[in-house]
Each structure stands twice: as C-alpha cells, then as structure tokens.
Amino acid sequence: MTPSLILFTISTLVAELLGSPAPASPPAGVVDHTAAAAPAAYWTPERMAGALPIDLLSSTVARVGALAERLVSPRSVPLSAVRPLGVDQRTIVRRSAVGSPASMAVNTATSGTPWPGGGTITTTVGRVFLTLSGVDFVCSGTAVRSANRDVVATAGHCVKDGTGAWADNWTFVPGYESGRRPYGSYPARRMFVAGPWARDANDGYDVGMVAVSDRGGRHLADAVGAQTIGWNAARGRQTYTFGFPADPPYNGEHLLYCAGVPSDDPYKKTQDQGLKCDLTAGASGGPWFSGFDPVTGQGQLTSVSSFKYSNDTGSMYGPYFGDEVKQVFDTAQRA
C-alpha cells in the first residue's frame, strides 16, 4: 500500500468515526450565523397571518427598533399610504414552444400586478417568516440553483437587522398562496450576509443567502426547482420583480410582479438600480430577473427588492449582484 493511499484510508476512517466536520469559517467579507431550529409548531396559520411586513423605507442612514424601521431623508412616508401609480402597461402575448398561443398575457411595463401565469416562478418564489427582537415579520425569497440545492436568496434585512440581531425562527414557504403551503416549510440552518451589511447596514449590500434544512430527506431545489443567479450583469435590462407585498392595498396572500427597465440610483447613495414598482412592505427580498421567460417562469436572478426612498415611494431599489454578493452566495452553497 502506497503512503498516499495509507493517508487517504486513515483520513477516511477518522472522518467516519468523528462524523461531519464543523462548518467552515466564511471568507473575509462574509458574515455567517448558525440558526437555531424553530419550534416545530411555531409558525401556525394564526402566527403567519399576524406577522408584520418589514418596512421598505430607507436611505443608507440607519435601521432602528424592534420594528426594523428604516430612517430616510428628506422625510419618512408610511408605505400604507402608497397606492398604484397607473403605470402605462404594454402587454406581450407569448407563444409556447409548439407554436400555440400561451394561456396568459404578461405586461412588460407594470407596477403591482397579480401574476397571471404559471411556470416555476410559482414554486420557487415564496414567503419568508422570521422573528427579530421578539417580533414576527414576513418577507419574500427565492429558491436558487446551488451546489447543496438548499439556498434561498432574500434581502439582508430579512436575515439580519443590519448591525443588530440575526433573525430567529427563519422559515421559507415556497409556492405560498392564500395561506396554503403546498411544498411545506424549510427552516434555516445557516445564514450569510455581506460584511458591509453586517457592519454598516449598507443598502448596497442588502442581500442575504440562507441554507435551509431539507424536508423529509429531500432538498429544497429537488422539491420545487430553482432559479439561476447572474453576476456582474449589464445594467438597464428588461426586468421582472416578484414578491408578496403585505401593506395596503395588498394583503400578502398572493404573488405579484412589476416589470420595466431599471435605472441607476438618482441620489448616488448606492450602486443599486431602481424600478417603477408599487409593491409594498412584505415584498422585501423578492427576486429581480433579467432574461425572464413568462412561459417557463425561469430567469436569471440579478437582484432582490431592498428599499424605497421617502420622496419616491413608487420606485423599488435592489442591490447590484457583483463579486461581493457572489462571495456570499458561494459560501452559502458550500454550507
């Protein structure tokens, strides 16, 4: 037996005797947290219905309080006052691969519209339920294609309250619709955010990646499918964003979308892009797709819903998925 084979055999036996190794430390620039399992019966229908949407209003100033209120300038406007803007809606009708008309019409420019179609968007996007400082909240998230088949992409403030506490009782419910949980719930096991979010609550890095536990031995992506992620994508491309807005005039029970061409942050406070979108709080963490196919419900995830400015509540902003966010994702998919 060669020395290398002896060493391999010994290391294999040691691994079998000791079990799985401890979670690897994340690289510099990534902050992680090992999640405690939520009590099995914590997220009852009543508790889910009572969870509060995390406020979207923000600048790069601060986040405070148990309600995770986001401070803004020049003045704070409650999202409950936001109403649809009546954005001009241009409709496209897709045809299926065999040439017959698709059974849906999807708007290429719309703001806060119920999703009229199907596809994997209806299984891979879901609601996120979490507890921060003893208060139950709700966000949105997406199952993404990853090496461990367990990663959910969402906003950083739906995972960690900036420089404050990590979320407890974090659970992803894919395919949520009107209180139904057709694919069950997937609790967090490890959470990851970018360093600038954890240190400074920097909105330009308001991204969270969560590795969830499997359900009955089946990984999340195997059960519901997964969306691909794109890095350093061209800016200003046609974009579709989805989420479960829960502040009026919405109730959080249905999947809604916005569509259009985003533009750079006019205030130059972040590298984010903004999209005309009236989705309210509760849509935080919902996916932004480029190259989205309304028939298949597949696209390339290039951002997540993060914040709104107080003097422009008709626009949603999302962080740019550059190398720093890729590092967070790569760490999560190895967890």
Side-chain angles (χ1 to χ4, degrees):
M1 183 177 291
T2 65
S4 59
L5 183 58
I6 292 172
L7 289 173
F8 174 79
T9 303
I10 292 173
S11 63
T12 302
L13 289 173
V14 169
E16 290 177 349
L17 289 171
L18 296 180
S20 301
S25 298
V30 179
V31 180
D32 81 320
H33 173 72
T34 299
Y42 185 83
W43 289 113
T44 62
E46 294 75 20
R47 196 181 292 272
M48 284 183 168
L52 301 173
I54 293 180
D55 202 331
L56 285 164
L57 288 177
S58 178
S59 69
T60 53
V61 181
R63 296 170 58 81
V64 298
L67 294 182
E69 179 183 358
R70 311 188 78 182
L71 302 183
V72 298
S73 176
R75 67 184 181 89
S76 178
V77 178
L79 286 180
S80 59
V82 177
R83 292 295 183 269
L85 295 178
V87 175
D88 173 55
Q89 298 183 354
R90 296 182 296 277
T91 301
I92 60 172
V93 178
R94 297 298 304 268
R95 291 184 175 271
S96 69
V98 297
S100 60
S103 61
M104 63 180 184
V106 175
N107 296 314
T108 59
T110 189
S111 184
T113 304
W115 177 240
T120 55
I121 197 71
T122 61
T123 64
T124 55
V125 178
R127 298 188 84 183
V128 169
F129 295 89
L130 63 142
T131 306
L132 277 172
S133 301
V135 180
D136 292 333
F137 290 105
V138 65
C139 285
S140 301
T142 310
V144 294
R145 192 172 298 172
S146 58
N148 58 16
R149 311 194 300 284
D150 289 335
V151 176
V152 175
T154 187
H157 69 267
C158 298
V159 175
K160 188 179 189 299
D161 189 13
T163 60
W166 289 89
D168 295 319
N169 302 318
W170 197 101
T171 298
F172 178 58
V173 182
Y176 182 97
E177 174 63 27
S178 301
R180 295 190 296 274
R181 292 178 266 180
Y183 305 98
S185 302
Y186 290 80
R189 52 185 177 83
R190 289 187 74 189
M191 304 172 173
F192 303 86
V193 297
W197 176 254
R199 292 191 301 270
D200 306 311
N202 186 328
D203 284 322
Y205 299 88
D206 184 14
V207 181
M209 301 287 174
V210 178
V212 297
S213 299
D214 60 24
R215 178 177 170 82
R218 195 176 187 194
H219 293 281
L220 171 64
D222 297 335
V224 304
Q227 301 284 349
T228 60
I229 299 185
W231 311 108
N232 300 302
R235 303 171 75 89
R237 298 175 61 193
Q238 174 69 33
T239 296
Y240 293 81
T241 180
F242 296 81
F244 291 84
D247 265 355
Y250 312 111
N251 61 13
E253 295 299 304
H254 310 287
L255 181 65
L256 278 76
Y257 79 108
C258 298
V261 177
S263 57
D264 291 343
D265 181 349
Y267 304 103
K268 310 299 183 184
K269 291 185 176 181
T270 67
Q271 294 300 309
D272 294 21
Q273 294 187 98
L275 181 70
K276 289 298 180 183
C277 185
D278 283 318
L279 299 188
T280 58
S284 290
W288 292 37
F289 293 108
S290 297
F292 181 73
D293 185 340
V295 175
T296 64
Q298 285 280 337
Q300 186 180 70
L301 186 74
T302 54
S303 188
V304 293
S305 293
S306 172
F307 73 90
K308 292 187 173 187
Y309 286 111
S310 64
N311 59 345
D312 183 17
T313 55
S315 295
M316 181 80 76
Y317 289 83
Y320 184 73
F321 277 19
D323 292 339
E324 297 87 352
V325 177
K326 184 177 186 299
Q327 188 178 49
V328 177
F329 168 75
D330 285 341
T331 309
Q333 73 168 340
R334 292 193 297 267

